[in-house]
Amino acid sequence: MGGALHVRGNVQDYEHDGTAEWNAYWDPPGTHRLWQSSAPITLFPLDATDQVPVTTEFLHRLARQRRHPLSDLAGQCWALTVGTLQAYEYRYHMWDTLTTGYLSAPELMTLKQTRTEVISTGPGSGRIIEVERNGRLVQAATKIQVDAFLEYVLNLFKR
């Protein structure tokens, strides 16, 4: 989970230009080192995670299956986010849920091979940008089958 390739970042800091995603912003040198490694990278940028907000409708659906302990726990955790983020800036999304969901439901996500670089200093530090050449080749999530993914998550929480 990281990056914001073609959408605005989610960092609001007086010393930052707002182009980075929080995880990469938190440790730009570490993100840059990862990009210099040979580890394969499957990237879930905000471009993908923004497609799956934690909506009131989703929370109501989750609440209807509260008899399942995992549903109850997840509902309580997500309910803590309601009203805590500045709604005019951004909403809470299934950032890590979507990213880890790829491990067992990759068919619900479309990936695109793309070249990227990490900005590691300055007001855009932590920004991951798409470049035409010489950048690090990654698999980046681009499109999510949102309804199917939400069903997948709800079914997981029934276990």
Side-chain angles (χ1 to χ4, degrees), residues 18-49:
T19 59
E21 179 277 328
W22 179 257
N23 290 312
Y25 163 78
W26 189 247
D27 188 4
T31 304
H32 187 261
R33 280 192 305 277
L34 174 61
W35 253 245
Q36 302 309 307
S37 77
S38 61
I41 297 174
T42 301
L43 183 68
F44 278 80
L46 293 176
D47 308 58
T49 61

Side-chain angles (χ1 to χ4, degrees), residues 5 48 60 68 82 91 95 115 156:
L5 299 177
H60 287 161
H68 302 285
V82 175
R91 301 171 73 174
W95 297 293
R115 295 195 175 278
L156 280 178

Side-chain angles (χ1 to χ4, degrees), residues 82-144:
V82 175
T84 61
L85 297 177
Q86 299 170 345
Y88 62 89
E89 290 292 337
Y90 50 82
R91 301 171 73 174
Y92 199 89
H93 292 78
M94 293 190 192
W95 297 293
D96 299 323
T97 305
L98 178 65
T99 303
T100 56
Y102 173 72
L103 297 174
S104 59
E107 70 279 2
L108 302 178
M109 299 149 206
T110 302
L111 302 179
K112 172 185 141 183
Q113 196 171 56
T114 188
R115 295 195 175 278
T116 57
E117 290 180 357
V118 175
I119 307 298
S120 58
T121 60
S125 60
R127 182 175 183 194
I128 299 171
I129 59 172
E130 193 169 25
V131 295
E132 289 187 27
R133 60 178 99 127
N134 299 330
R136 173 66 192 276
L137 201 55
V138 303
Q139 293 290 328
T142 59
K143 179 85 174 112
I144 310 304

